[in-house]
Amino acid sequence: MQEALGALAFRALSGGDVVDDLLRQAARIVTRVLRVEYCEIVQLIPEGDRLLLWAGDGWREGYVGEAVVEVGLGSQAGYTLISRGPVVSEDLENEVRFRASPLLTEHGAKSGITTPIYLGELPWGVLGAHTTTRRTFSEEEVGFLQEVATIIGAALERSQTEREFEERAARARASERRFEFLADANSRLSSLTDDRAVLTGAAGLVVPDLADWCFVDVVEEDEARIHRLVLVRSGGPEGEDARRYEFDYPFGAGVSHGTPEVFRSGRSELIPRVNDALLRDVARSGEQLEILRRLEPVSYLCVPLRVRGRILGALGMASSSPERRYGEEDLALAEGLAYVTALALENSRLRLPESELVREIIERARKSPAVSASYQKGAPELTQRQLEVLRLLAQGKNAREIGEELYLSQATVRNHIRSLLQALGAHSQLEALAVARRLGLVPD
């Protein structure tokens, strides 16, 4: 028994898949050491009204992972959770404390021991051992089963802690990526003075890496109309054909999704799975519906675009890839992008009265040169700081040397380098420099 417990404890401490490997090994050890036909490890399912045969040894094919037993007095395992300690039954057929479960009767079980498994201070499930002949179990055998249950509980708790740590680390990494993205977006957009360039630049930041298409709508309340000023689409049409994807349409009081709903409620909208009913609700005409269907969105989100605390319109993005469905992290990033976009729009018209703000943005955007609605890798507009970093890279300086010359941290320099790679459509610094020389951004 001590040798078996030592081997199981060592396996639990070595990590790995606790749910699969460790529980199967524990069940085999119990049947071998206690010389019983069956071992069951049953878990209390979330509803709390049944126990699932999660792992075991000796059971007929198809029972492990499928069979359930009752809690309370409907089974020995259920009674064990009530007792909060080991339960020994030498004669299941004549047991008066609880009923033998169908799982045990179908397999001809006559005697058995059960003991609870705890995850911290909470009951996780039950470990049991049963025989097909009547048998008396010694205190040593009962203690052995309790030790196995303790090891299982400790391993499950460790697995849960590691999983929670990984989830926290993943959230931290996502927050860091979001911060870097928004810092870069703010740097790029704040340097632009043309409204259409700001709106198109914001949409271009997410296409094609985060979205297959992105739109910016502005609502003109006096005329009850929505103006789609920008729609950037990955691999979309160019020239005049692109205009078919930009349209003005009535506000639509009965629309329960998209820009009208976001404008009315002031709340963001996240739809991980888009269906045709949503497209029909959003489209204001048969032509728009066909356009939306051709875009083939599978996941979508839309966030308010606020300037000076007033909702100006909405920024939305959609994915056409089943592998890229949006969640809460994507929504937080889109809300941050809408915020820095609004700041860029606001900076150029600090003294403009609020009543003229919407009309001014619409008119200035329409008068600006049209931008293709497809994602193009061309000569980007870089900030002065990005140009300084680019030229120092061209001189052969590394991140530390650039930081010392510009009085920046190495982390900030690396952020600028990453934004340069993205802006130039490059995968390495050498490729970025080659593109920059071709565009005349740095001397040959």
Side-chain angles (χ1 to χ4, degrees):
M1 287 183 184
Q2 292 303 318
E3 182 181 348
L5 289 171
L8 187 63
F10 179 80
R11 175 66 186 84
L13 291 173
S14 64
D17 192 339
V18 171
V19 174
D20 292 330
D21 296 341
L22 180 70
L23 299 190
R24 281 198 296 267
Q25 182 180 353
R28 288 194 297 269
I29 286 175
V30 168
T31 54
R32 177 174 57 84
V33 173
L34 295 184
R35 301 183 304 281
V36 297
E37 286 83 1
Y38 306 114
C39 174
E40 71 267 25
I41 301 174
V42 292
Q43 180 190 13
L44 192 63
I45 63 176
E47 291 79 6
D49 59 347
R50 289 174 299 168
L51 291 153
L52 173 69
L53 181 58
W54 188 262
D57 191 43
W59 307 100
R60 290 198 284 266
E61 186 176 354
Y63 277 76
V64 175
E66 297 293 335
V68 294
V69 298
E70 295 181 26
V71 296
L73 304 181
S75 67
Q76 183 176 352
Y79 180 75
T80 302
L81 290 178
I82 296 174
S83 302
R84 303 180 66 84
V87 174
V88 179
S89 178
E90 298 178 1
D91 186 2
L92 286 171
E93 292 180 350
N94 297 305
E95 183 61 64
V96 295
R97 294 171 295 176
F98 52 84
R99 296 186 301 276
S101 68
L103 176 66
L104 296 179
T105 57
E106 289 171 12
H107 287 78
K110 304 296 183 184
S111 299
I113 326 168
T114 48
T115 189
I117 300 171
Y118 284 95
L119 183 58
E121 297 181 356
L122 299 175
W124 179 88
V126 174
L127 171 65
H130 290 85
T131 65
T132 55
T133 57
R134 289 190 58 181
R135 174 174 162 185
T136 300
F137 294 94
S138 67
E139 290 185 6
E140 187 180 25
E141 290 172 324
V142 174
F144 170 77
L145 197 70
Q146 288 181 289
E147 290 289 345
V148 173
T150 299
I151 293 172
I152 291 173
L156 289 169
E157 187 172 5
R158 175 180 175 178
S159 176
Q160 183 185 65
T161 301
E162 291 176 349
R163 187 164 57 250
E164 291 173 350
F165 175 80
E166 291 171 359
E167 291 173 354
R168 288 196 299 271
R171 289 195 295 270
R173 289 192 295 270
S175 297
E176 183 178 2
R177 289 193 298 270
R178 186 166 66 248
F179 172 80
E180 291 178 353
F181 173 86
L182 294 176
D184 176 57
N186 185 58
S187 176
R188 294 187 187 209
L189 299 180
S190 62
S191 66
L192 303 176
T193 57
D194 177 80
D195 291 329
R196 184 179 286 274
V198 170
L199 299 177
T200 305
L205 286 170
V206 297
V207 177
D209 294 333
L210 303 176
D212 291 293
W213 51 281
C214 179
F215 65 84
V216 181
D217 289 347
V218 172
V219 178
E220 194 168 11
E221 291 186 85
D222 293 342
E223 299 181 7
R225 293 190 67 81
I226 294 175
H227 302 268
R228 178 147 296 173
L229 298 182
V230 170
L231 194 149
V232 174
R233 183 186 178 203
S234 177
E238 300 182 10
E240 289 302 318
D241 290 339
R243 293 295 183 182
R244 300 180 64 231
Y245 291 90
E246 298 179 20
F247 37 72
D248 295 352
Y249 55 97
F251 187 81
V255 180
S256 57
H257 294 288
T259 297
E261 176 60 23
V262 170
F263 185 85
R264 275 193 300 265
S265 68
R267 295 189 299 270
S268 300
E269 180 177 42
L270 170 63
I271 301 180
R273 295 180 182 275
V274 172
N275 55 33
D276 199 63
L278 172 69
L279 300 184
R280 290 196 300 271
D281 183 70
V282 171
R284 307 315 305 149
S285 67
E287 181 184 10
Q288 284 188 25
L289 179 59
E290 289 306 311
I291 290 173
L292 291 173
R293 283 172 173 166
R294 281 197 293 274
L295 291 170
E296 298 180 334
V298 299
S299 189
Y300 151 86
L301 59 83
C302 187
V303 300
L305 185 61
R306 289 183 172 88
V307 176
R308 301 183 192 171
R310 172 185 175 179
I311 298 179
L312 179 73
L315 180 148
M317 63 181 73
S319 165
S320 299
S321 171
E323 289 77 29
R324 180 167 58 193
R325 296 189 184 274
Y326 296 131
E328 294 298 330
E329 289 290 342
D330 303 292
L331 186 65
L333 185 143
E335 289 174 339
L337 178 60
Y339 178 77
V340 297
T341 301
L343 284 180
L345 291 172
E346 184 179 350
N347 286 339
S348 62
R349 53 186 60 76
L350 292 176
R351 295 181 178 84
L352 191 68
E354 288 191 9
S355 60
E356 301 177 18
L357 184 62
V358 174
R359 190 176 300 277
E360 173 76 5
I361 288 175
I362 293 171
E363 291 302 320
R364 287 181 57 171
R366 283 176 169 169
K367 292 177 182 178
S368 302
V371 180
S372 169
S374 62
Y375 178 77
Q376 300 289 324
K377 289 188 172 74
E381 293 193 39
L382 302 179
T383 65
Q384 184 61 39
R385 181 65 80 187
Q386 287 172 328
L387 286 170
E388 290 173 350
V389 172
L390 181 63
R391 287 162 187 162
L392 290 173
L393 282 174
Q395 296 173 18
K397 297 183 182 294
N398 58 34
R400 179 183 58 78
E401 294 168 334
I402 293 173
E404 290 174 353
E405 183 156 339
L406 298 179
Y407 300 99
L408 300 173
S409 69
Q410 290 188 48
T412 301
V413 173
R414 285 193 289 269
N415 286 339
H416 283 305
I417 293 174
R418 277 194 290 269
S419 67
L420 284 169
L421 295 181
Q422 183 181 3
L424 296 169
H427 299 286
S428 67
Q429 292 183 30
L430 288 176
E431 184 182 356
L433 289 173
V435 173
R437 289 190 178 98
R438 188 172 67 249
L439 297 173
L441 296 173
V442 294
D444 292 332

